[in-house]
Amino acid sequence: FVDALQAVPGSKMVTSAKAAVPTVTDQAAAMQLGQCAKNLATCLAELRTAAQKAHEACGPLEIDSALSAVQTLKSELQDAKMATLEGQLKPLPGESLEKCAQDLGSTSKAVGSSMAQLLTCAAQGNEHYTGVAARETAQALRTLAQAARGVAASTVEPQAAAAMLDSACHVMEGSAMLIHEAHQALVCPGDAESQQRLAQVAKAVSHSLNNCVNLSLNCVNDPKNLPPCSKSFQEAQTDLNHTAAELNHSAGDVVQSTRGSSSQLAVASGKFSQDFDEFLDAGIEMAGHTQSKDDQIQVVGNLKNISMASSKLLLAAKSLSVDPGAANAKNLLAAAARAVTESINQLITLCTQQAPGQKECDNALRELEAVRGMLDNPNEPVSDLSYFDCIESVMENSKVLGESMAGISQHCKTGNVPAFGDCVGVASKALCGLTEAAGQASYLVGVSDPNSQSGHQGLVDPIQFARANQAIQMACQNLVDPASSPSQVLSAATIVAKHTSALCNACRLASSKTANPVARRHFVQSAKEVANTTANLVKTIKALDGDFSDENRERCRVATTPLIEAVDNLSTFASNPEFASIPAQISHEGSAAQEPILRSARSMLDSSTHLLETARSLILNPKDPPTWSILAGHSRTVSDSIKSLITSIRDKAPGQRECDQSIDSINKSIRDIEQVSLAAVGQSLPRRDDISLEALQEQLTSTVQEIGHLIDPISTAARGEAAQLGHKVTQLASYFEPVIVASVGLASKHADHQQQMNILDQTKTLFESALQMLYAAKEAGGNPKATHTHDAIAEAAQLMKEAVDDIMVTLNEAASEGGMVGGMVESIAESIGRVSDSMLKIMTCPEELGGLASQVMVDYSQLAQQGRLAAATAEPEEVGSQIKTRVQELGHGCIYLVQKAGALQMSPTDSFTKRELIEYARAVTEKVSMVLSALQAGNKGTQACITAASSVSGIIADLDTTIMFASAGTLNAENEESFADHRENILKTAKALVEDTKLLVSGAASSQDKLAQAAQSSAKTITQLTDVVKLGAASMGSEDPETQVVLINAVRDVAKALAELISATKCAAGKAADDPSMYQLKSAAKVMVTNVTSLLKTVKAVEDEATRGTRALEATIECIKQELTVFQSKDVPEKSTTPEEFIRMTKGITVATAKAVAAGNSAQQEDVISTANLSRKAISDMLTTCKQAAYHPEVGKDVRNKALLYGIECTTGYIDLLEHVLLVLQKPTAEQKQQLAVLSKKVAGSVTELIQTAEAMKGSEWVDPEDPTVIAETELLGAAASIEAAAKKLEQLKPRTKPKQADESLDFEEQILEAAKSIAAATSALVKSASAAQRELVAQGKVGSIPANAVDDGQWSQGLISAARMVAAATSNLCEAANASVQGHASEEKLISSAKQVAASTAQLLVACKVKADQDSEAMRRLQAAGNAVKRASDNLVKAAQKAAFDKAEDDSVVVKTKFVGGIAQIIAAQEEMLRKERELEEARKKLAHIRQQQYKFLPSELREDQS
C-alpha cells in the first residue's frame, strides 16, 4: 500500500508546477497547467486519506505478502536452475553479463539496507514500519533474483550458472526465514531468545548475499607474498625504485579503467596485481638488507600498509564497477589511489639511499601525479570546503608554495640538501592543497550555474560512514598485529577514537533530523553501541600499553570484534537509499564555466612537475647555468598559473553573474513601470481587451505568491549557500516580466484612476524592495563569514515580505469585490489539507503532539484569514454566514484538541485521555468536511453542473444496459403500440433539449443561479428523451434488435455529448467571452447539436427499410470520429487496464472488419445495421482500453507513443473502410467491392501492430487471456470477492423491530443472521482454498499454466469455474433469503432451500478440485476443511430454520367448529388443502429433476463420472 505520508514527489511536482505557471506565456497553457496543479493537489490529499484507511485495514498483511513473494522468488530461481542444467535458460532481451552483474551488485546494497531496517523495526516492535521494511526487502530481492537469473543465463559455463542460482536461492531462503523471524519477534518484542535468533538469521543472509555478489563479479584476488630472491643492496634499491614507479602508474591505470568496461578494469587490475607482486618482492629484499631489528619492523609495517592500501584501491574499483552510479564513488577511488602513492613514498623514504634530494623530488612527483585525477572528474565534490573556503585555501597554499619555491632555489645554490628536501615536501603538500581547492571550486561553479541541477543533502553521508568503517577496521588490524610497536598501537587507538566520535556525532545529528521514529531510535541505539564498544576497547588498549603480553593482546583482539560489528551494522543501515544524498547534475554551460579554473590548475601542475624535475637535476649540479635558466622559466610559469587560478576562481564566484543580470532586469522593469505610471497619470493607459479581468487577477496573484515563496530561500542562500544563490536569483528574475504584464493589464481594466495608481505603485514598491534584496545578496555572495552583510539581508527580506503582503491584500480585496473567490477557496483548501494531515499525525504519532498542536494552530490561523474573505464575498449572504459559523466551530474543535494534546503529554500513559484525544481529532476532521461543504454551497451553479454530469453518467450507463437487452432480443413493449406513437414525442423532446443547450451555453456567462437552472433543466430533459427513445425502441419489437440498438445508440451519443457540454460549461462559468475555456464550450455545443441532428435523422429513417442501414452507418462513422478526437486529446485516463484486456478488445475489431466486408459485398440493409452497431462498440472499446493500457504506470514512453499511434492508424483505417462500404451501398460496382479487401487488410495490419505493442507492454509475462486455467483463477477470485461482499451486506443487517409479543421470533432472526454470516465467511475461505489448490496443481505440473489444446485440463478448469460461480451465486441467494426472512418477506422454506443449495454447490466445488489434486497435499486438506466448515454452517442454519418452522407449527392453534355442518366443511377444506399441497410437491420434484438433467448435460466429464 502507498504510505499516506510519502506523497513527497507529488507535492514537489505541485510546487514546481505552480512556480512555473507565471513564466508560461501561452495563456491557455498556463491556465491548464494551473488547473492541473490544483487537481493534482486535491488528488494527493485524497490519496493520503485513502492510503491511511487502506493501511488501517490491511497493514498487518504486508509481512505475510512479503514472505509469500520471497518464497515465490525462490521457486522461480529453482526452476531457472533446472532450465540451466537442461541448457534451456536464455537471457532476456537487453540482458548482458556486465549489466546484470552491475544490477546484482547495486541491488545487494539495497537488500542489505532494507534488511537492516527490518531488523531494527522488528526489535522495536513497530508493526507498521516492519511491514514497510518487509515490503521493500521483497521488492529489492525481486530485482536481485532477476539480476541473478540474467547473470546465470549470460554465463557460458553451466556449472558456474548453477552455482550462481544456488547462491541466489540461499539468499531467498535465508530472507524468507528472516522475515518469518521478524514476524515472530513482533509478537513478543522483548524476548531475548527471539532477538538472538533474528540476529543469527541476519548474519546467515548477509553471508549468502556476499557469496552471491562475489560469484557474479570475479574480481582480482588479494595480492600474495612471493618468496624473496638474493640480490645486492644496490640492485635491490634500484628494483624498489623501478617497481615503485610501475606500481604507482598501475594505480592510475586502475582509476582510469573504471570509466571503461569491466574487461578493461580486469586487465588494469591484473597489471596492478603483477606490479604489486614485483614491488612486494623488492620490498622484502630490502627488509633483508636492513641491519637494525627496529628498521626491519618498520619496513615490514610499511609493506603491510601498502598491501592494505592496494586492497582498498581494488575494493573501491570493484564497488565502482558494480555500481557506477553510487554517490561519490569516483572520489573514493581517487582517494584510495592517493593512499597507495603516499604509502609507497613512506617506504621509499625509509629504505632507499640515493643521491642528495632525489627521493624527496621523486616522492613529490608521485604525489602530484596522484592528485591530477581530481581535475578529470569535476562533477562530484572533492571535499567539504565551501566556495570561500576554497579561495582562502588557494591564497594560503599559494603563499606557502611561493616561499617553498624560493627556498628550493636558495638551497640549491647553497647545497643545503636537508633543507632542500624539506622545501620540496612543503611545496608538494601546497600543490596538492591547491589542486584540491581548485577541483572543489570548479565543482561549486558548475553546480551554481542556473542550468545545472543542484544536489540534495541526505540525512547522513554514507561516504563518511564508509571511510570511518574502513579506517576503524585497518586500525583494529594494527592493534591486534603481534608485530605492532607501542607507537603504532597508540596511533591506531587515536584513529579509532577519532572516527568513532565522528560516527556518534553523525548519528546524533541524523536522529534529530529524521521524522521516522524507527530510524531515530536506531541511530541513537547505534551511537550508544559504538560508544560502549569503543570504551571497552580503550580499556584493553590501556592495559596493553602497560604490558605488551600475549594475554593483553588477546583481550584487545576480543574487544575489537564487537566494535567492528557495531560499526559495520551502522554503515549498512546508513546506506539505505532513503537517507542518501541526491548528486548534482552539471549542465553544458556549467562545464564551460568550470574550464578556466581547470585549465589554470592543470597548467600549475604541469609547470610544477617540470620545476621539480629541474630542481632534482640542479641539486646534483648547482653550477649548470642553462638549468638555472630553465628553473627560472618554470618558476614564472607556476606563478602565472596560480595568479590565473586565483583570478578565475574570483571571477567565477557563484551567483555573482546571475545577481548582476537580475539587477539589470529589475532596473529595466522599474523603468517600464514608471513609464506606465506616467501614461496612467495622463489618462492614456491603453485598455487590454485580449484577456479577462479574472485571468489577469489570477496571473498576478500566483506570480506574487511565488515571489513571496522565494524570499526566505534567497536570504538563506545569500548567508551561506553560494551554490544555491544563482538558482534562486534567476528564478526570481523570471517573475519580473509576468508581474509587469499582469499588473499593467489589471490596471488598464480598472476605470478608477486611484485603483490604477495603487496597483502600479505597489508593483513598483515590490520591485524596489527586490532590488535592495538583490544588492544585499550580491554583496554577501553566500559567504557565511561575511556577517556584516547579514543585517542588510534581513532588512531587505522584511521589506520585500511587506511589499508582497500589501499587494496581496489589494488583490484579494479586488477579487472579493468582483466575486472571484477561486484563489481564496484554493488557499482555504490548502489550509484544510494541512489541518487534516496534522490530525492524521496526531492520531498516529503521539510522541510528536507538541509540534503538531502548534502546526494545527498555524494552519487554522491561515484558514480563518481566508475564510473571513470567502464569507464576505459569498452569495447569498446566508452562505457567507454559514461559512463563518463552520470556521468558528472548527476553531472551537481545534482548541479542545490542543488542550487534550497537552493533557496527554503530561500523562502519556493515560488511556482515557488518549481516547478523548482521538475523539476530538475525529470531530475536527468532521468539522473540516463541513467547512468544505459550506464553501461548495457558494458555487451553486458549478455544483448543479457536477450533479447534472453525474445524472447524465447514470443515464449513459442505463442506456448501455438497455443496449445489452436489445442485443439479446429481450427488449419488448409492454402493450401493443407502434413506433409512430412515439415519433412525435421523441422529436419534440429533442427540440426541447436543443433549447436547453442554448440556455446552458448562455448560462456560463451569467449568474450561478441561471447556470444551476440550465443544468437542472438539461438533466431533466435528457432523462425524458432517453425514456421516450427507449419506449420507441421497445415498440419496434424484439424481432429487429439491430434497429433497436441503432436508435438507442443515437440517443446515447446525445447523452455523451451533453456530459461533455456540461463539463465544458462548468470550466467556462464566469469567464470572459475571449477566454480559451469559452472556445472549448463552443466546440462542445457544436458536437451536441450535431448529435441531436443525427438522432432526428435516425428517428425519421428508422422505419424506412431502404435507408435505415445507410443512416446507421453514417451515425456510426460520426460517432467513431468523435471517439477518435477524445482519444487524441492529451487527457490521461482516470484508470489503467492490463495488456490482456487490450488484446481482448482488439479481437472485436477483427470480427467487425469481417462483418463490414461482408455487408459491403451483400449490400443488405440488415447486414449494414449489424455492422454499424458492432463497429461502434468494437472501436469504442478498443480506443478506451488502448489509452488505458498505454498510460499504465509500468509502460514506457516509447511503447505508449507507439500504442497511441497504432490506435489512431487502426481507427482511421476502419473509418476509411466504413466510408467505402457507404460508397458501395450507393454505387455497387465490382471494382469498389474489390477495394474492400485492400482496406480490410490495412485494418488487419494495424490490429497486428496493436497486439505486438500490447505484448511489448506486458513483456515476457504475457499470457493468453482465453486460457482456461487463467479464466479459472479469475473466476475463483471473482467468486471470493462476491462472497466477501455478501458477507459485508449480512453484517449490516439488523433484525427488524417488532411488537413486544414477538420476542421468540427475534431470537430466530438473530440466529438466521449469525448462521448466514458463518456460511458467507466459510464459503469465502472455501473459494480461496480452491484458488490455492489450483495454483498448487499448476506448480506440480498436473495442470499447465498455459495449456495448448489440453482438453482434460480445460475440462477441469471449466468445472472449477462453474462450481465457483455456483458457490458465489448460492451464497448471494442465501443472503437475499436471510435478508427477506428477517424483514418478514420470505418463508423459512426459502431460507432452508438456499442453505441446502450452498451445501450442494460446495460439494460440487470439492469434486471439481479433487479430480486431479493430491489428496495428501496441504492445499487439499485446507480445501476439505473449508468445505466441512461450509457444510456445518449450512446444517446449523437449516436446523435453526426448521426448528423455528416446527415451533411455529406447534404454536398455530386450530379452532374446531362445534356445529356438525361447519365441522364437515372444515374437514373437507383441510383435505382439499392437503391434496393441493401434495400435488404441488410432486410438481416441484419433477421440475427439480428436469433442471438437474439439463444441467447434467453441461457438466465436465470428470464430474459426471465421479457423481455416477
Side-chain angles (χ1 to χ4, degrees), residues 137-207:
T137 301
Q139 290 171 349
L141 286 170
R142 181 178 299 281
T143 309
L144 183 82
Q146 186 65 28
R149 184 204 172 281
V151 170
S154 307
T155 304
V156 179
E157 293 292 332
Q159 297 304 321
M164 177 74 247
L165 293 171
D166 273 340
S167 178
C169 279
H170 290 155
V171 172
M172 299 303 158
E173 187 174 352
S175 302
M177 194 178 299
L178 179 66
I179 295 173
H180 175 72
E181 290 295 339
H183 198 181
Q184 295 301 316
L186 282 178
V187 180
C188 42
D191 186 13
E193 184 181 350
S194 176
Q195 300 294 332
Q196 187 177 2
R197 259 198 331 269
L198 200 59
Q200 289 173 351
V201 174
K203 286 182 183 177
V205 174
S206 178
H207 182 68

Side-chain angles (χ1 to χ4, degrees), residues 497-510:
K498 171 188 169 186
H499 285 288
T500 53
S501 174
L503 285 179
C504 290
N505 286 331
C507 288
R508 180 178 56 80
L509 289 174

Side-chain angles (χ1 to χ4, degrees), residues 1460-1494:
F1460 181 75
V1461 176
I1464 292 176
Q1466 193 175 15
I1467 292 171
I1468 293 172
Q1471 289 176 341
E1472 178 188 358
E1473 184 178 2
M1474 181 180 68
L1475 292 172
R1476 186 172 64 252
K1477 294 288 185 184
E1478 286 176 351
R1479 187 174 65 254
E1480 288 175 357
L1481 177 63
E1482 187 62 30
E1483 288 174 356
R1485 283 176 177 162
K1486 290 180 181 179
K1487 185 176 180 181
L1488 177 62
H1490 181 70
I1491 291 171
R1492 286 178 173 169
Q1493 287 172 2
Q1494 293 299 317

Side-chain angles (χ1 to χ4, degrees), residues 550-569:
D550 293 339
E551 184 180 356
N552 285 340
R553 282 192 185 278
E554 178 61 22
R555 288 177 182 169
C556 191
R557 186 192 66 76
V558 172
T560 59
T561 304
L563 174 62
I564 293 173
E565 186 175 337
V567 173
D568 196 39
N569 291 338

Side-chain angles (χ1 to χ4, degrees), residues 1308 1312 1377-1378 1380-1381 1384-1393 1441 1445 1448:
F1308 164 58
I1312 289 174
S1381 180
H1385 302 317
S1387 62
E1388 290 81 7
E1389 287 79 11
K1390 183 175 181 181
L1391 192 62
I1392 293 169
S1393 174
K1448 181 180 176 183

Side-chain angles (χ1 to χ4, degrees), residues 368-389:
L368 294 184
E369 184 181 355
V371 298
R372 189 183 295 273
M374 287 184 182
L375 305 177
D376 297 332
N377 186 34
N379 294 328
E380 293 181 357
V382 175
S383 64
D384 296 330
L385 296 177
S386 69
Y387 192 81
F388 296 95
D389 292 337

Side-chain angles (χ1 to χ4, degrees), residues 568-590:
D568 196 39
N569 291 338
L570 177 58
S571 300
T572 303
F573 184 76
S575 64
N576 191 323
E578 180 185 346
F579 310 141
S581 302
I582 299 174
Q585 295 181 359
I586 296 177
S587 62
H588 294 298
E589 294 84 354

